[in-house]
Amino acid sequence: MALKPLLSTLTLCLAIALPSGADSDRRIALTYDDAPRGDSAMQGDERVKMLISGLDAAGVEQAAIFVVTERINSPERLARIQSFAEAGHVIANHSHTHPWLRNVTAEEYLAEIDTAEMILQVFENRRPWFRFPYLNEAPDIERRDALRAGLAERDLFSGYVTVDTYDWHLDSLYQRAVNNGESFCLSGLRDLYTGMLVEAANFYDQAAREYLDEVPAQVMLLHENDVAALFATDLVAALEADGWEIITADEAYEDPIASVLPDTRFLGMGRVAALTSLAGKPGPEFTYLAVEEDQINAAFEDRVLGACD
């Protein structure tokens, strides 16, 4: 994969040519952060069983589950992560306590990663991948580079995303409606959830096609929450109906883009956003329903709250 000539005018450490050969089909892997989450409108055990069952029904061979190890604080929560691994999904590091890098030193952050790695050794299907909480990878260049060096020293791969979403915000609206006893339309919630995530995937696909010579495999950011469990099968069906092929996280992370560490602090929307921004995509254009809380709020009120039509 090679970036377009425009990149040669930018001050990058990326003045490289990526290997060619990736096909241009739309391919996407599903990845879930923040496991194991606590009880919510659903009991945690119920939610994990539903998510695993939904992925299985949809034919998803492998998703990636990024674990916050501090939350493995009971045999029941340990069993939830084991159940993901037993179902064929891969387990990876999302830190021990889910800190913002901006709030701690690089040394403290690396200690977090080390603690989580030690705990994760017990799981089958573990991968040496680390995903930054909040996608907060570069509060400044010094900490960004220190963490990149620290991951390399530990033979840990940066478990980047390419499709940023605020699925967590939609879930928070759902939780509030349930807690407040509000009436809501479950089919409307399903359609909003699946629609905004397909739109997000298409946003990054189009950005890559416009600004990069070749289109990478996409990696979607999701969370282990109730809406993910409720609509896992629906999400896969919606993506496939739109022309997407669901691939494994292993396959997605074999893409040439995996070897590119963009020389930018604009990393909080994922790797495609970083690379297309460096290639000239204007910052104000990085907007779409799935990352705009006000738009999600309005859509939820309009399409979910109240009885179904």
Side-chain angles (χ1 to χ4, degrees), residues 71-207:
R71 298 177 183 175
I72 306 175
N73 55 12
S74 69
E76 292 76 17
R77 290 191 177 200
L78 176 68
R80 291 180 206 167
I81 304 304
Q82 289 173 329
S83 68
F84 280 118
E86 290 166 0
H89 306 299
V90 294
I91 308 303
N93 188 335
H94 197 39
S95 79
H96 183 57
T97 66
H98 205 271
W100 286 90
L101 177 55
R102 69 188 185 189
N103 292 335
V104 297
T105 66
E107 293 75 16
E108 290 168 334
Y109 202 86
L110 289 167
E112 279 263 344
I113 294 171
D114 291 339
T115 298
E117 277 299 294
M118 179 180 63
I119 295 169
L120 292 173
Q121 296 293 327
V122 302
F123 294 108
E124 299 176 11
N125 288 358
R126 191 183 67 84
R127 294 291 186 271
W129 304 341
F130 171 73
R131 176 168 293 166
F132 287 83
Y134 310 103
L135 303 185
N136 182 226
E137 185 176 348
D140 50 60
I141 296 300
E142 292 74 20
R143 276 180 285 188
R144 184 201 71 181
D145 290 349
L147 265 294
R148 286 178 174 179
L151 292 179
E153 290 167 4
R154 290 160 173 77
D155 292 322
L156 289 174
F157 171 83
S158 179
Y160 64 85
V161 307
T162 66
V163 179
D164 186 20
T165 80
Y166 284 16
D167 67 314
W168 54 269
H169 184 68
L170 182 60
D171 184 74
S172 72
L173 297 177
Y174 166 69
Q175 300 298 332
R176 186 174 65 189
V178 172
N179 292 336
N180 291 344
E182 297 176 87
S183 63
F184 60 89
C185 179
L186 195 62
S187 63
L189 179 63
R190 176 201 63 207
D191 293 346
L192 176 56
Y193 176 76
T194 59
M196 78 179 204
L197 296 181
V198 171
E199 178 186 332
N202 289 338
F203 175 89
Y204 288 102
D205 176 70
Q206 181 59 41

